[in-house]
Amino acid sequence: MAPGFRSELSSGGTLDVVIVGGGIMGLSTALHAARAGLSVQVLDTGAIGQGASGLNGGQVIPGLKYDPEWLIGHSGKERGEALVEFAASTADAVFDVIRDEKLAVPFTRNGWIQAAHTKTALKAAANRDRQWRLRGAQVELLDQAGIAAMTGARGYLGGWLDRRAGVVDPLSYTLELARVASAAGAGIAEQQRVVKLGKEAGVWRVSTQGGAELRAKSVVLATNAYTDGLLPGLAQTIVPLHSFQIATAPLPADLAASILPGGQAVSDSRRILVYYRKSADGRMVLGGRGRMALPSSPADWAHCERALLRLYPPLAGIAIEKRWFGRVALTPDHLPHLHEPEKGLLAVVGCQGRGVGLMSALGKRMANYLASGDARQLPFPLSPIKPIPFHAFRQIGVAAAITWYRILDAFER
């Protein structure tokens, strides 16, 4: 357990905000809200860093799943341009907070590569490159020789390099956000499951499993893929999926020199993508979509090991020393959703696999909204909670789709 986050709670009085969930979204909101002078208490059901915020791929990628022109077409010119500007800034939010708050977090900021394994993917990369280049972003299209030199991997036709991006150690980043949020005056309590929310005379009452009751002007639910029934219908708006990861033993010097020599992170263009990076201690770390059920043996990570050897055959003799998984949340439209079903009750779901940058930047905007009440501070519109129809069957459908996509990906090799 992180030092200093036992389970102490602010007692008495009415807080400005209680934040449920101590991941990157909750902690970023807490830090910036405390810096703005608000009284803040974070409650996490487990230990800080045990959720996806501490277990993810560590890739700090700006942008959203969609390119600028789509976002403007979808949201209208004014809101679309503001959204593009926000999306462009999400990696900065991470590296700025590391610098400004002097966080002890291993990081490399040499970019992120989106690797293309088909001509269609290469065409999409060229289109993305054109749109971001028009906006002055530090991006570059890579040909086959260029991507081979930068990754050392086999099988890519080309790709796209976004130099705004980078890599962090996600557990260090989450724990350090908690440390500085606490130092800024936010209360942070672990092992505190919130079981009930109620409103009385305009004040929220937040009840925990241990019998504590806190009062607050606002509540922020920042539980993402770990969302339960606390706010009816919210869990039914997302599809939680498992992302599995493996890490090799530290690579010997000769192999390390030819694999990702510039320290970039990579995601590929497959339907069931894999993502990988080198860790600060020289391991190769690779992740991809895992089975829907909880893993029961190392065999559940075999798909990651196969992907690693497909890309890097020389790693065949290197031991896999670590295996882990986290939960990610997808929304049907692949955009984050912000909700305020009642005044002062806010919820954020849907990291879409870009949570490190996205939630760091969104936390700052959420803190601005809590401090000012000005909804223009939020980059995404506040939308009603709309449960996915037949949600119980949705995961079965997703599992079937993943199997089908794996087959399609295999044919495209």
Side-chain angles (χ1 to χ4, degrees):
M1 189 183 282
F5 312 125
R6 296 295 164 202
S7 52
E8 67 278 1
L9 290 174
S10 316
S11 57
T14 300
L15 292 153
D16 289 313
V17 59
V18 165
I19 297 168
V20 183
I24 291 171
M25 175 66 205
L27 294 170
S28 176
T29 303
L31 170 63
H32 295 293
R35 285 265 184 266
L38 302 184
S39 53
V40 183
Q41 176 70 58
V42 177
L43 303 173
D44 196 90
T45 193
I48 301 294
Q50 273 186 347
S53 292
L55 297 168
N56 62 68
Q59 301 197 0
V60 186
I61 308 169
L64 294 161
K65 187 178 169 71
Y66 301 104
D67 296 330
E69 287 169 8
W70 186 95
L71 290 170
I72 290 163
H74 176 76
S75 305
K77 182 138 177 64
E78 191 180 344
R79 190 173 258 292
E81 288 287 4
L83 189 49
V84 171
E85 198 176 315
F86 169 78
S89 76
T90 59
D92 286 340
V94 174
F95 296 111
D96 286 355
V97 87
I98 289 174
R99 179 195 66 210
D100 297 346
E101 301 288 344
K102 301 180 175 54
L103 304 189
V105 175
F107 74 91
T108 310
R109 195 178 189 181
N110 282 344
W112 164 72
I113 297 165
Q114 198 164 32
H117 76 296
T118 63
K119 285 186 174 139
T120 309
L122 207 51
K123 203 183 273 184
N127 188 29
R128 182 165 300 127
D129 182 68
R130 172 186 63 77
Q131 293 182 43
W132 279 115
R133 199 179 282 266
L134 278 172
R135 288 168 165 75
Q138 283 183 288
V139 296
E140 186 184 324
L141 215 49
L142 302 173
D143 61 13
Q144 197 159 7
I147 198 161
M150 288 191 88
T151 64
R154 286 191 352 178
Y156 295 130
L157 302 180
W160 187 61
L161 171 65
D162 187 338
R163 293 191 187 278
R164 301 169 296 179
V167 172
V168 296
D169 177 75
L171 181 57
S172 301
Y173 180 63
T174 306
L175 292 173
E176 281 288 274
L177 274 183
R179 179 182 66 78
V180 295
S182 176
I188 296 179
E190 300 179 307
Q191 316 299 346
Q192 291 285 353
R193 178 181 289 278
V194 177
V195 291
K196 193 172 159 218
L197 294 173
K199 201 177 192 185
E200 217 174 276
V203 174
W204 287 97
R205 293 178 180 269
V206 182
S207 307
T208 71
Q209 201 163 32
E213 187 180 85
L214 282 73
R215 293 196 301 272
K217 293 176 193 166
S218 298
V219 175
V220 176
L221 300 184
T223 46
N224 199 42
Y226 298 84
T227 296
D228 57 17
L230 190 60
L231 177 55
L234 185 62
Q236 287 71 45
T237 67
I238 54 172
V239 179
L241 297 172
H242 286 137
S243 209
F244 282 42
Q245 290 187 71
I246 56 171
T248 65
L251 301 182
D254 56 331
L255 280 177
S258 63
I259 294 175
L260 297 171
Q264 287 84 11
V266 183
S267 308
D268 72 16
S269 60
R270 287 178 167 78
R271 293 171 183 86
I272 306 298
L273 65 79
V274 294
Y275 51 89
Y276 47 98
R277 62 182 169 104
K278 276 200 301 206
S279 65
D281 58 355
R283 301 169 190 274
M284 196 65 191
V285 181
L286 177 141
R289 193 71 66 237
R291 55 182 268 170
M292 306 298 269
L294 294 176
S296 55
S297 81
D300 292 323
W301 280 266
H303 63 291
C304 292
E305 295 174 40
R306 284 194 299 272
L308 186 64
L309 296 185
R310 184 182 75 233
L311 293 162
Y312 296 107
L315 295 184
I318 307 292
I320 304 299
E321 287 193 346
K322 302 178 185 207
R323 296 175 176 86
W324 70 98
F325 69 99
R327 220 185 282 171
V328 295
L330 300 184
T331 55
D333 63 0
H334 301 290
L335 287 167
H337 291 176
L338 270 60
H339 308 295
E340 191 173 19
E342 288 186 62
K343 185 83 189 100
L345 176 60
L346 289 140
V348 182
V349 290
C351 293
Q352 321 299 328
R354 296 197 176 196
V356 182
L358 186 57
M359 295 296 140
S360 297
L362 199 49
K364 189 171 187 177
R365 297 294 194 93
M366 180 66 80
N368 292 347
Y369 177 58
L370 291 166
S372 68
D374 178 6
R376 288 170 304 186
Q377 297 291 335
L378 299 171
F380 303 96
L382 287 164
S383 60
I385 292 173
K386 285 188 195 150
I388 298 165
F390 306 108
H391 185 266
F393 299 104
R394 183 71 181 225
Q395 279 193 290
I396 300 166
V398 168
I402 287 172
T403 306
W404 174 235
Y405 286 162
R406 283 200 205 285
I407 294 164
L408 294 177
D409 285 338
F411 275 116
E412 281 181 352
R413 252 168 237 165

